[in-house]
Amino acid sequence: MTAARVLVIDDDGDIRRLVAELLGRAGLSVEQAENGRSGLRALHRTPPDLVVLDVQMPEMDGWETLERIRDLSEVPVLMLTARGDELERVRGLKAGADDYVVKPFGRQELVARMQALLRRAGPRGEEPQVRYADDRVTIDFAQRTVTFDGVDVSLTPLEFKLLAAFVRHPRQVLSRDQLLELVWGDAYGVSADQVKLYVGYLRRKLAPEDTTRVPIETVRGFGYRYTAN
């Protein structure tokens, strides 16, 4: 049986080497990345079974890296942080992390938590979606670029996540609450009017001269549906 693959993303070389040594002893295959960008490249190149991600990194920190990972994959992510307060943990879990370990960590606990995540994840799933294309929209998830009818479109991170939610659920009616969960991460405390507002923003960004060309259909009383072929 092929050993499970773990991608360790941390700018601290000592931490990377320590984690790699611990996981190697546990029979796991480990790849190391020194920052978020190189970690994302490694994830695209060979999808791992688990990601260990440091929060405090220069340039692209753990939060931004986690957001990019979640655009591409549902791979389990265990975050490492020097802060152990409750708000920090809640932020990580709401952002899509699966577990949270505070530095300095117990070696046996770290390995046990990773093995538990791998067991829950089960067999390796599909490779992350790197590109999407239909007759109108093309998305490069790795580069976060979008074209509509062959024209480059600049989207905010929230608009990009909204479009990604639509293209990943083609011809499916998504309610406002579903979109709040998919895009905002939590429906609590966010008005459903935000969905209507940002769908409008997205339509105008994609086709400013004629928003009727945008294949996002309003289904009155239910929500929205993406209808492109």
Side-chain angles (χ1 to χ4, degrees):
M1 182 179 295
T2 304
R5 293 188 60 261
V6 180
L7 172 61
V8 181
I9 307 174
D10 196 314
D11 65 316
D12 186 326
D14 291 336
I15 294 291
R16 289 199 313 274
R17 287 187 288 273
L18 172 61
V19 174
E21 180 182 351
L22 293 174
L23 298 185
R25 290 177 183 173
L28 303 175
S29 172
V30 182
E31 182 171 2
Q32 301 180 40
E34 62 185 7
N35 55 54
R37 296 189 189 283
S38 61
L40 289 170
R41 286 195 293 269
L43 183 134
H44 300 154
R45 184 172 59 247
T46 310
D49 299 293
L50 173 69
V51 174
V52 179
L53 177 62
D54 184 38
V55 171
Q56 299 296 330
M57 294 186 294
E59 297 182 22
M60 180 184 288
D61 66 12
W63 303 118
E64 185 178 356
T65 305
L66 177 61
E67 183 180 356
R68 298 286 185 92
I69 290 172
R70 283 292 170 255
D71 283 340
L72 297 168
S73 173
E74 292 302 317
V75 62
V77 176
L78 183 147
M79 299 197 78
L80 299 177
T81 181
R83 294 179 56 186
D85 58 89
E86 182 180 4
L87 289 178
E88 184 86 348
R89 292 172 184 266
V90 170
R91 180 183 179 185
L93 295 173
K94 283 190 172 184
D98 296 273
D99 203 352
Y100 213 87
V101 173
V102 179
K103 301 176 184 177
F105 46 79
R107 299 184 180 193
Q108 292 183 347
E109 179 189 5
L110 180 68
V111 173
R113 285 179 177 271
M114 292 183 190
Q115 291 174 329
L117 287 176
L118 288 168
R119 285 195 301 271
R120 290 202 295 269
R124 183 176 299 176
E126 297 179 358
E127 294 189 359
Q129 181 181 12
V130 176
R131 190 175 184 275
Y132 169 87
D134 58 39
D135 57 356
R136 290 218 180 258
V137 172
T138 300
I139 303 174
D140 185 324
F141 287 98
Q143 301 298 322
R144 289 208 168 197
T145 58
V146 175
T147 63
F148 184 80
D149 285 346
V151 178
D152 291 337
V153 179
S154 177
L155 299 180
T156 67
L158 200 57
E159 291 163 352
F160 185 91
K161 290 182 74 173
L162 181 58
L163 179 60
F166 279 126
V167 302
R168 285 172 172 154
H169 299 84
R171 299 182 182 84
Q172 177 181 337
V173 177
L174 297 174
S175 70
R176 289 174 177 83
D177 284 345
Q178 285 176 302
L179 287 168
L180 285 171
E181 291 285 350
L182 290 168
V183 179
W184 280 261
D186 188 352
Y188 180 76
V190 182
S191 169
D193 290 339
Q194 287 286 93
V195 174
K196 180 179 180 180
L197 184 68
Y198 274 87
V199 168
Y201 289 159
L202 180 59
R203 284 170 170 159
R204 288 192 292 274
K205 285 284 189 73
L206 294 174
E209 296 180 0
D210 181 10
T211 58
T212 62
R213 293 191 295 122
V214 178
I216 300 174
E217 173 189 356
T218 299
V219 182
R220 295 193 180 278
F222 293 96
Y224 300 91
R225 176 168 51 207
Y226 189 77
T227 58
N229 297 318

